[in-house]
Amino acid sequence: GILVLNGINTYSGMTTVGAGTLMVGDAGHSNASIAGPVTVASGAKLTGHGTILGPITNNGIVEPGGSIGTLTVASFTQGAGGTLTIDVTAAGSSGLTVTGPATLGGTLAFSVAPDAGAWQAFQFLTAASTTGRFSAVTSNRPDWLVGLHYTAAGVSAGVQSRSSGQIYADFVSADIETAHEMNVLTLDGLAVAAESGNANHAFWLRGYGGASAFGGRDGADDFSSRFAGIAGGADWGVAE
């Protein structure tokens, strides 16, 4: 079963979710809270849009929101048997906000809705400090690829359908364009040597930049890129 707490609960003792689901704040009661620590046992679930003012120890399932939303906690420790579940839809993702430290382990599970689109990038966990990593990452959509980025302040994710390789093609297109511009700069350096009347050596400094845009069709997204920088070099003749 499920127990929903939509009020501000001021008791300070331990709350143990031993079985079933405890929801702290449904979508219409994000001000709901529990004052004390919470332990989630194996097989049990903690969810909701509210706030846990004490530390959370998760050996079961923590699913922020229970739909797209944010659960706020004082600290978060996930054991080897625990699972953090993140919902992903076209509207965005759910998230866990930890005002103190987060110690990670166990499983990260993504629940991806059919309308989530071809790919998304988002931060789903923020914390004052983060240690550890998830030992396993799963998804209800085996056709999706998942990549994670860990920092001291949280964890971000990029998720993409395996059937859509467009993001990789976009990166390659941008790399090719930048490489072409750098090739032009190198040839310019040789031209400087020739123009200076001293073909033996020359020093050069050039700015470079560019922009491009491609319109999407047949299910592909629009893509645009911009790049700029400064490059310099020295060309020196070598006797044969």
Side-chain angles (χ1 to χ4, degrees), residues 166 169-170 173-174 177 210-217 220-227:
Q166 181 180 341
D170 291 346
S173 297
E177 189 171 16
S212 61
F214 303 92
R217 67 176 188 176
D221 296 330
D222 294 343
F223 166 65
S224 63
S225 69
R226 294 179 178 83
F227 61 94

Side-chain angles (χ1 to χ4, degrees), residues 176-190 204:
I176 290 174
E177 189 171 16
T178 305
H180 171 72
E181 191 70 19
M182 292 301 295
N183 187 49
V184 170
L185 286 177
T186 302
L187 295 176
D188 279 351
L190 296 176
W204 55 273

